[in-house]
Amino acid sequence: MRGRDEIVASMCPQVYGLFYIKLAVLLVLISGVARSDESGLRVRGEAHMLLVGDPGTAKSQFLKYAAKLVPRSVLTTGIGSTSAGLTVTAVKDGPEWQLEAGALVLADRGLCCIDEFGNIREAEKSTILEAMEQQSISVAKAGIVCKLNARCSVLAAMNPKGKYDVHSSLAVNTALSTPLLSRFDLVLVLLDTHDEQWDAHVSSFLLGSRDGEEAGLGSDGEQDVWEFDRLQAYLAFVKTAFQPETTPASEQVLTRYYQLQRQRDTLNAARTTIRLLESLIRLAQAHARLMFRNKVLLADAVIAVVLMESTMLSASILGAIDTLHTTFPEDSDLFYAELESLVLRRLDMAHLGGGSQVV
């Protein structure tokens, strides 16, 4: 786990702390394993994430850095993107019509970053529903009928509508439709609450007068942060070299958590569909790839559950987690051991624990 945290700290190092956000962005960039059955039905392996937060919470920084990390990526904004700009449009060139690809089509097999996601008009948001789940875009324009691939991960960021109300559902705070929200594997909320100690650490970090521990990178500071080229090469390698398969222990944890969510969650009932289980599997597979292995172990399932809990969308066993004010743990292995013990205890599966899964 210590080696993993070094990789996570290398993600957008100019931003202080935000441990869970950096880990989540990395898992979205790596994504899970797509699978197809004999009938040709394809279940996507690409993960999608939405960052909802107050101004000044480094949302755009993550989008820009992620777009740099992925060789094939498209960075666009909601204000400058029409329905054609995100999907496809028909343009008349002389006597003939031709199709021009939008951001989602151009990002096929890569990453599409959409900033100011909330500024996309309702009619335009509906056009990306098919692209996010079926990973394709059906076109019937100007006598041209075809289907284009859009097999990309979507990393979006937006501000809440007014001040975020923790007592209201996410659909109310973001003014996004439930079908659109359900397509995001993770929806992380960044609330800029006033914390004097946190503000002091961030100020010291920005002004350069800090040591390693204050920078939120652990006791060894910044000397363990990977260079950009090394991180880019590592992500590209693990994404192609490993096709993780689940193990019985990980399947039990994910299934149990999904069942608990179905029973407990009433405020966001539309989120707890079968897509929740698919999202958990994708996140666990992505973490297994990040840990450089071909099997999804108990540790991967626990991290997937913790990230899903940190969405504030469906917190039921760990309570609400303040994702903005999270720093890197000083002892990664001890931190994970405590996390695993807590999660398994809340899931009534303490017999699976033992610490032997951490590598």
Side-chain angles (χ1 to χ4, degrees), residues 24-34 42 44-50 110-112 132 135 151-156 183-186 239 278-286 289 308:
V25 172
L26 274 180
L27 296 189
V28 169
L29 297 186
I30 296 173
S31 292
V33 181
R42 182 180 184 272
R44 65 180 170 95
E46 292 79 11
H48 305 314
M49 186 170 81
L50 174 65
L111 174 72
C112 182
M132 290 183 67
Q135 302 281 276
R151 297 159 296 184
C152 62
S153 295
V154 175
L155 184 58
R183 281 164 166 78
F184 286 102
D185 297 81
L186 288 173
K239 191 171 182 178
E278 293 177 348
S279 298
L280 288 168
I281 295 172
R282 277 190 288 268
L283 292 174
Q285 290 173 338
R289 281 176 163 173
M308 196 60 69

Side-chain angles (χ1 to χ4, degrees), residues 219-293:
S219 57
D220 289 339
E222 290 183 287
Q223 68 261 26
D224 292 331
V225 174
W226 286 17
E227 294 181 355
F228 179 83
D229 293 340
R230 185 184 181 190
L231 178 62
Q232 187 180 44
Y234 181 80
L235 295 183
F237 176 75
V238 298
K239 191 171 182 178
T240 55
F242 297 103
Q243 307 293 322
E245 297 179 355
T246 56
T247 57
S250 63
E251 290 175 356
Q252 290 178 42
V253 170
L254 297 181
T255 304
R256 175 64 177 160
Y257 179 72
Y258 171 68
Q259 291 171 341
L260 281 179
Q261 290 289 60
R262 293 283 288 180
Q263 295 168 8
R264 296 181 182 179
D265 201 350
T266 55
L267 183 62
N268 297 286
R271 179 67 179 91
T272 52
T273 61
I274 192 64
R275 284 178 181 158
L276 175 65
L277 182 58
E278 293 177 348
S279 298
L280 288 168
I281 295 172
R282 277 190 288 268
L283 292 174
Q285 290 173 338
H287 191 266
R289 281 176 163 173
L290 181 62
M291 298 293 286
F292 211 77
R293 56 181 174 231

Side-chain angles (χ1 to χ4, degrees), residues 67-105:
K68 285 183 181 179
L69 271 179
V70 179
R72 187 167 190 172
S73 60
V74 176
L75 177 62
T76 183
T77 60
I79 297 176
S81 296
T82 62
S83 58
L86 283 176
T87 53
V88 67
T89 184
V91 179
K92 192 169 185 179
D93 185 14
E96 297 181 352
W97 288 85
Q98 63 182 14
L99 295 178
E100 286 190 359
L104 291 169
V105 179

